[in-house]
Amino acid sequence: MTSSNTSSAAPTPGSLSQAPAEKPSAPPINVLPSQLAQSYSLAHPVVLLGLCAWRFEAVVESTTRELLRDLPWLAALQFVYVITCLPPAGSSFGEVTPGPEDKKRASRSSTGSSAPVRPGKSSHRRKTSAKISWASVWARLMPASLAFGLTTLLATPAIAILLVLFGAPLTTHNVETFLCAAHMALLSSTPLIYVHGVDATVWKEVWGISRPADIVWGSALGTGLGAWFGAIPIPLDWDRTWQAFPITILTGAYIGYAMGGLLSRTPFVYGKRIQFAPGPADEDEKKTN
C-alpha cells in the first residue's frame, strides 16, 4: 500500500512543469577602452559643471529663458558623450561594429584567393573600409537618436510628474517644472536608454534602485539625489534670489550627476548594489552569532 502511494506521487517526465528561467541582470557598464573615451569621460562632468557655474547668474536673473537656451547645449554635450564614451545597447563592451567576426570575414575575403592583387583592387578596399566605418558610425548614431527620442517623449514627462509629487508647484511654474525635468532627463535617462535600450529587467532594477554601480547608473542616481538635496534651501527664509524654484534643484542635479559618475568608477563602489535590508546570508550570519 505504501509502495503504491510512493509510485503514484513520484513525478513523471510529462507532468514536470519547469519555471521559466529568470533573465540574468545586465553587468555594470564600462567606458569604452579607447583613449579618447577614457579622457572625455573624465572631462565631461567637469565641462557640465563649468557650464552650470558660468550660466548660474543668468539663470537666476531669467530662469525660464536661460534654461530653455541652455537645453540645446546640454543635449549636444550628452549626445557627444554617449556616442564617444559608452557602448550602445545590444553591443558587447568595446565592440561596436565592425566586430571580430567582421574583421575575420574581411581577412578571409582579402586572403581567400591565391591570385595576385592587382593595382585596381585598392579602390575596392578603400570602399570596404569606408562601408565599415559608416556602419560603425550608424551603430552609434541610431541608438543615440532613439535614446534622445525616448528621453523627450517618456522620461521628461515622467520626471515632471515626479517633481510635482515631491513638492513642485502644480498650478504655477509649469514651464519651469518642465524645463527642470528636461534637464534632469538628459542627464540621467539618456545614457541609461543608450546603453540598456528598453530591457525590462534593467529598468526594473533602475526603478527598484538595485542596479550595480557603474558610470551610467551612478550618474543617474546622483542626479536624483542631488536634486533632492538641492531642494533643501528653497523653503528657508533667506530671501535670496537664487532660492527660487527650480534653481537649486537643477544645481544639485548637475553636481550629483558629476559626483555620482566619478564615484561609481572607483574600485570601492563599482559593481556594488544598494541594499535596504540584509540578505539571507547576512540574516543567517546574525542568527549564528
Side-chain angles (χ1 to χ4, degrees):
M1 193 71 178
T2 305
S3 61
S4 62
N5 292 335
T6 305
S7 60
S8 61
T12 59
S15 63
L16 290 178
S17 58
Q18 295 180 354
E22 186 178 354
K23 184 178 180 180
S25 173
I29 299 299
N30 287 314
V31 179
L32 294 175
S34 67
Q35 186 63 36
L36 175 61
Q38 294 289 330
S39 300
Y40 186 70
S41 64
L42 296 174
H44 180 70
V46 179
V47 172
L48 288 181
L49 289 180
L51 177 64
C52 181
W54 176 49
R55 303 295 296 168
F56 184 78
E57 293 184 1
V59 171
V60 173
E61 293 177 1
S62 180
T63 303
T64 303
R65 183 186 65 185
E66 295 303 325
L67 288 182
L68 184 61
R69 183 178 296 179
D70 295 342
L71 199 58
W73 291 101
L74 176 60
L77 288 172
Q78 288 295 90
F79 189 87
V80 173
Y81 167 66
V82 296
I83 66 175
T84 303
C85 303
L86 301 177
S91 67
S92 58
F93 173 73
E95 290 183 0
V96 181
T97 53
E101 295 181 357
D102 299 328
K103 293 179 180 179
K104 290 179 181 179
R105 194 178 299 112
S107 62
R108 291 195 198 103
S109 61
S110 60
T111 60
S113 59
S114 57
V117 179
R118 298 179 181 178
K121 295 293 184 179
S122 58
S123 60
H124 175 71
R125 291 182 179 178
R126 284 196 295 268
K127 290 180 181 179
T128 303
S129 62
K131 289 180 181 179
I132 293 176
S133 62
W134 275 112
S136 177
V137 170
W138 179 254
R140 296 170 186 244
L141 291 180
M142 188 62 182
S145 302
L146 291 176
F148 275 87
L150 292 176
T151 298
T152 303
L153 296 177
L154 298 179
T156 300
I159 294 179
I161 294 173
L162 288 176
L163 287 174
V164 173
L165 292 177
F166 279 97
L170 177 61
T171 58
T172 60
H173 298 80
N174 294 325
V175 177
E176 289 86 348
T177 301
F178 183 82
L179 290 175
C180 179
H183 279 255
M184 292 180 61
L186 285 173
L187 289 173
S188 60
S189 301
T190 301
L192 279 172
I193 299 173
Y194 179 79
V195 299
H196 296 301
V198 292
D199 190 340
T201 303
V202 172
W203 287 101
K204 286 180 181 178
E205 293 177 342
V206 169
W207 289 109
I209 317 180
S210 59
R211 280 289 304 157
D214 55 32
I215 186 173
V216 180
W217 171 234
S219 298
L221 186 60
T223 301
L225 292 176
W228 177 282
F229 287 107
I232 294 176
I234 294 179
L236 301 179
D237 54 350
W238 294 343
D239 296 330
R240 299 291 191 271
T241 55
W242 51 264
Q243 288 181 259
F245 173 83
I247 298 173
T248 57
I249 293 178
L250 266 184
T251 303
Y254 274 87
I255 296 174
Y257 173 87
M259 293 183 61
L262 293 175
L263 288 176
S264 61
R265 300 179 63 177
T266 61
F268 302 100
V269 180
Y270 179 80
K272 304 294 191 302
R273 298 175 186 264
I274 298 177
Q275 292 186 355
F276 295 100
D282 298 332
E283 293 179 355
D284 295 339
E285 184 178 355
K286 289 181 179 180
K287 290 180 180 179
T288 54
N289 294 334

